């Protein structure tokens, strides 16, 4: 069983977990269809700042994502997430991955569950899910929350969409319809250094949330990013795209928001279908 943990299951889980947390970032979803962006008098910087401010009151969101994750390749999926309490349910497909369907990821009660398909059952004595208990794994030197892609699981996932506020060259591209919603398209470049500097005037809570978001990109080796942001008539982000060069290749992710502040319920998979990684490692060490 130990070989299964350290083999394909571990690699798939780590990759899926990283993508999950990376793709979990974002702002808010669509609102009304009868408005076409912000007031003409609002500057691009002010429009982006206003949309960023509106992310602070998000309690839940649902979104669709597509793009390229460094080291993993092309990914796509859809997710629902609750901020308080923190919970997430995501179904994600990685192009070229040898599975018989999407990988499902659930984050609930400070544990991450990955699996839900027959491939997992083949490697884990019929179990279809593997559980990563973040607190239990903290004692292991080789595997921890950061390596599993869950190191930022306690942050507000709306923070990534606010990165454009740190741009020194943000500009208005034009008006576009995205997901059936009229939006204003903005674009700019941001560096991790500028983003950190832009946090000095934020509240402690907002600063901590955005710093946690930045940590993931620093670990990936990304120093700067090009960012596009589509804002609807209610000053909420409908969609955003982030591109940058990481140590393991290019990142290019687009997040489309479907709705927000609606009830999200996530439940843990049945215990009978779940293999606990912490218990598996204990058994391997003792046996």
């Amino acid at each position: 069983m130990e070989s299964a943990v350290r083999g394909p299951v571990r690699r798939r889980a780590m990759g899926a977990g990283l993508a999950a947390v990376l793709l979990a970032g974002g702002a808010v979803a669509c609102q009304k269809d009868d408005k076409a962006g912000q007031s003409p008098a609002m500057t691009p910087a002010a429009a982006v700042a206003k949309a960023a401010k509106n992310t602070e009151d998000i309690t839940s969101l649902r979104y669709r994502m597509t793009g390229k994750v460094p080291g993993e390749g092309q990914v796509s999926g859809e997710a629902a997430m609750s901020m308080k309490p923190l919970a997430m349910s995501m179904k994600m497909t990685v192009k070229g991955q040898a599975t018989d369907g999407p990988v499902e990821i659930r984050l609930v009660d400070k544990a991450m569950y990955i699996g839900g398909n027959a491939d997992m059952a083949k490697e884990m004595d019929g179990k279809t899910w593997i559980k990563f208990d973040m607190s239990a794994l903290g004692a292991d030197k080789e595997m921890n929350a950061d390596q599993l892609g869950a190191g930022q699981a306690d942050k507000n996932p709306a923070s990534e969409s606010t990165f454009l506020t740190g741009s020194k060259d943000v500009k208005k591209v034009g008006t576009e319809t995205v997901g059936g919603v009229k939006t204003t398209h903005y674009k700019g470049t941001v560096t991790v250094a500028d983003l950190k500097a832009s946090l000095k005037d934020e509240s402690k809570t907002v600063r901590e949330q955005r710093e946690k978001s930045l940590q993931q990109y620093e670990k990936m080796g990304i120093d700067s990013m090009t960012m596009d942001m589509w804002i609807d008539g209610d000053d909420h982000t409908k969609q955003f795209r982030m591109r940058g060069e990481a140590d393991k290749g290019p990142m290019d992710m687009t997040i489309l928001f479907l709705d927000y502040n609606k009830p999200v319920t996530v439940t843990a998979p049945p215990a009978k279908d779940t293999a606990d990684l912490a218990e598996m490692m204990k058994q391997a060490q003792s046996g």
Side-chain angles (χ1 to χ4, degrees), residues 218-238:
E218 287 184 299
K219 291 177 181 178
M220 293 169 64
I222 295 177
D223 298 319
S224 63
M225 293 177 282
T226 298
M227 185 168 180
D228 292 81
M229 191 173 183
W230 290 262
I231 302 175
D232 70 15
D234 288 326
D235 302 306
H236 292 131
T237 302
K238 172 62 178 175

Side-chain angles (χ1 to χ4, degrees), residues 109-123:
D109 296 331
K110 297 182 180 180
M112 179 179 286
Y113 300 85
I114 299 177
N117 59 49
D119 280 356
M120 301 296 281
K122 294 175 184 177
E123 300 176 8

